[in-house]
Every structure is written in structure tokens, then in C-alpha cells.
Amino acid sequence: MTERSMQEPTLLLLTALADAPRHGYALIQEIATISDGRVKMRTGTLYGALDRLLQQGLIEVAAEEIVDGRARRSYALTDAGRTALATEAERLRAVATEAERRLAKVWAVLGKTGPELRSTIGGSFG
């Protein structure tokens, strides 16, 4: 049985934690950066996802501190989280490679390069 692909918020959260532990607000900022501003994760969505990832053992609380009288938790990937992220990155890479291979056939038939074809048809194939 194959595993389901990751939902985008999970992928973005794990990616944001791949290189360093981060607290909630830093995660929101990092996700916006990773997605080039396309995804603006809301606080409720973030903490719901963090709780789920904690329960699944993909992340752990790396540190807890009091900042301005409020508790702040920093989260980090676990070994299982790193493995899950690497597996998903490989799955996405394989799908992207296949998509590019198939598109190259279309571009070759039409005698155009990818950028030329996209500008000819308005950026989409549909």
C-alpha cells in the first residue's frame, strides 16, 4: 500500500523546520518565504497542524521559554519528520520529472520551447 502525499501545509511546515528549530511566528514568516508569499498560514491552522505533527511524531518541542510574559515553544523535526520530508521531496521530484518529460514531447511536436509555448497559449495547457 502506498502512502498518501502530504498536504501542502504539512510539507511547508516540515520544510520550514528542516534547517533549524523555529517558534510559531517564525514558522509563519518562513512559510511565506518558502512559498514566495503565496501561502499565508493563519495562526489557528498553524497550531492545529503543529499539534497533529507532534502527535504523529514528525516534530518535537525543541525549547520552551517565556518571552514578554508568554510561553513560546520552538519546534524541530524528529528523525521520522526528516525521513517523511525526504520521502515527499523524492515523490515530488519524480512527478515533476515525469511532467517535464511529457511536456517536452508536446513542445517538440509543436516546435516550440517551453517558455515560447506558454506565452503562445497564455500560460496554460487547458
Side-chain angles (χ1 to χ4, degrees):
M1 183 168 137
T2 60
E3 292 184 33
R4 276 186 24 193
S5 61
M6 264 182 210
Q7 296 295 312
E8 186 175 33
T10 299
L11 175 63
L12 292 169
L13 275 168
L14 295 182
T15 301
L17 291 170
D19 60 345
R22 290 186 168 81
H23 57 80
Y25 182 69
L27 283 168
I28 289 171
Q29 292 178 310
E30 192 67 17
I31 287 167
T33 299
I34 291 167
S35 68
D36 199 24
R38 187 179 50 80
V39 176
K40 293 175 179 35
M41 189 168 285
R42 294 183 178 174
T43 305
T45 302
L46 172 69
Y47 287 102
L50 289 171
D51 286 343
R52 181 177 46 77
L53 295 172
L54 281 166
Q55 290 175 357
Q56 292 173 343
L58 299 178
I59 65 170
E60 62 189 358
V61 175
E64 292 185 82
E65 60 184 338
I66 303 298
V67 177
D68 296 329
R70 300 175 71 181
R72 176 189 285 178
R73 284 182 165 183
S74 292
Y75 301 88
L77 286 183
T78 61
D79 288 341
R82 279 186 285 283
T83 299
L85 180 58
T87 299
E88 183 66 2
E90 180 55 36
R91 186 192 71 77
L92 290 170
R93 190 173 8 267
V95 170
T97 297
E98 182 62 14
E100 289 171 344
R101 185 187 70 77
R102 290 176 183 225
L103 287 170
K105 287 181 182 180
V106 172
W107 295 334
V109 167
L110 296 174
K112 296 187 181 240
T113 66
E116 290 171 338
L117 184 58
R118 282 191 293 275
S119 68
T120 301
I121 59 175
S124 69
F125 285 92

